[in-house]
Amino acid sequence: KNQVEQSPQSLIILEGKNCTLQCNYTVSPFSNLRWYKQDTGRGPVSLTIMTFSENTKSNGRYTATLDADTKQSSLHITASQLSDSASYICVVSDRGSTLGRLYFGRGTQLTVWP
Amino acid sequence: EADIYQTPRYLVIGTGKKITLECSQTMGHDKMYWYQQDPGMELHLIHYSYGVNSTEKGDLSSESTVSRIRTEHFPLTLESARPSHTSQYLCASSDAGTSTDTQYFGPGTRLTVL
């Protein structure tokens, strides 16, 4: 069964600290993996996207890694800011069908305290 | 910021009412999607469209219907709302011509059925 599991479910850190969010998936065949940021009451916004051949990608203070062999990805946030408080969703695309189906994780709820 | 809009943002209605959630995008994307999201849970695809006059049901069974008469417009209709329909509804679109097929999400409609 194709699944995307994220950990931790929630995380609280102090402003200025770093953190790492985890994503494990069983989706096959794998096409790409995205990290989205979803602010409360808003739609998700894409942060990074990685294909099979990419193992790291950065977007400002966000750095995503991908290990396609172990089917794991991580999102590292450096020098956290209050505006980083949001849900971070891992999304995997299988391209096994014409739809290019997306599998969503439940997200990690990050709270940054001053 | 993606050019995809949803109205209303919040809606509280009584059981049995007919409602239409509006979604429009100005990016000229062929693919459009409707997702349902409950708090702390993953997004579930309920409808999608590959273009004008094309609509398909998604993975999650839904009593809603959709139409795609114009490229930019993808409304979702509930003929008779029930409390079980209370949820957040997210509309998204993507460009079928790109290899990554990133989905851009609207801000969502928070529906409460009393």
Side-chain angles (χ1 to χ4, degrees):
Chain A
K1 180 181 179 183
N2 288 326
Q3 285 185 312
V4 177
E5 301 286 344
Q6 292 188 243
S7 62
Q9 183 176 352
S10 61
L11 181 63
I12 300 174
I13 62 173
L14 294 177
E15 187 179 14
K17 298 296 185 182
N18 304 335
C19 67
T20 300
L21 314 180
Q22 300 290 342
C23 174
N24 297 334
Y25 63 92
T26 59
V27 177
S28 180
F30 173 85
S31 175
N32 57 64
L33 184 147
R34 299 171 173 86
W35 282 94
Y36 278 90
K37 177 186 179 186
Q38 184 176 22
D39 292 314
T40 301
R42 307 290 298 180
V45 175
S46 179
L47 293 175
T48 64
I49 179 170
M50 288 181 293
T51 59
F52 186 87
S53 59
E54 299 173 298
N55 55 26
T56 187
K57 183 166 283 188
S58 293
N59 177 2
R61 294 181 297 103
Y62 301 104
T63 299
T65 65
L66 173 65
D67 185 334
D69 292 330
T70 61
K71 297 188 177 181
Q72 296 179 327
S73 175
S74 65
L75 180 69
H76 186 74
I77 303 175
T78 304
S80 61
Q81 300 176 358
L82 299 180
S83 59
D84 292 332
S85 294
S87 179
Y88 291 84
I89 303 172
C90 178
V91 184
V92 180
S93 174
D94 71 353
R95 287 291 182 191
S97 65
T98 54
L99 175 61
R101 171 150 178 200
L102 300 184
Y103 295 85
F104 291 82
R106 293 187 176 184
T108 291
Q109 184 65 48
L110 175 66
T111 303
V112 180
W113 283 0
Chain B
E1 191 85 15
D3 295 323
I4 180 164
Y5 310 97
Q6 291 185 244
T7 58
R9 292 293 316 281
Y10 303 93
L11 181 61
V12 181
I13 61 169
T15 297
K17 299 293 185 183
K18 177 181 178 179
I19 61 167
T20 295
L21 307 184
E22 301 288 347
C23 176
S24 60
Q25 50 95 5
T26 58
M27 297 174 281
H29 289 169
D30 288 322
K31 293 183 179 179
M32 296 190 73
Y33 315 81
W34 275 103
Y35 292 90
Q36 188 172 337
Q37 184 183 31
D38 293 317
M41 302 296 288
E42 64 267 44
L43 278 71
H44 291 286
L45 181 67
I46 52 176
H47 296 282
Y48 63 95
S49 167
Y50 280 156
V52 172
N53 294 325
S54 154
T55 62
E56 301 287 344
K57 288 188 179 294
D59 307 314
L60 184 67
S61 175
S62 174
E63 294 164 345
S64 58
T65 59
V66 293
S67 63
R68 191 86 182 276
I69 299 174
R70 303 198 314 266
T71 298
E72 62 272 21
H73 197 213
F74 191 41
L76 179 145
T77 298
L78 276 167
E79 290 293 333
S80 180
R82 294 206 301 270
S84 60
H85 295 139
T86 295
S87 187
Q88 166 137 309
Y89 293 84
L90 291 164
C91 179
S93 71
S94 66
D95 184 356
T98 63
S99 60
T100 56
D101 206 14
T102 296
Q103 294 188 13
Y104 297 89
F105 287 85
T109 294
R110 169 70 63 185
L111 173 66
T112 302
V113 183
L114 303 177

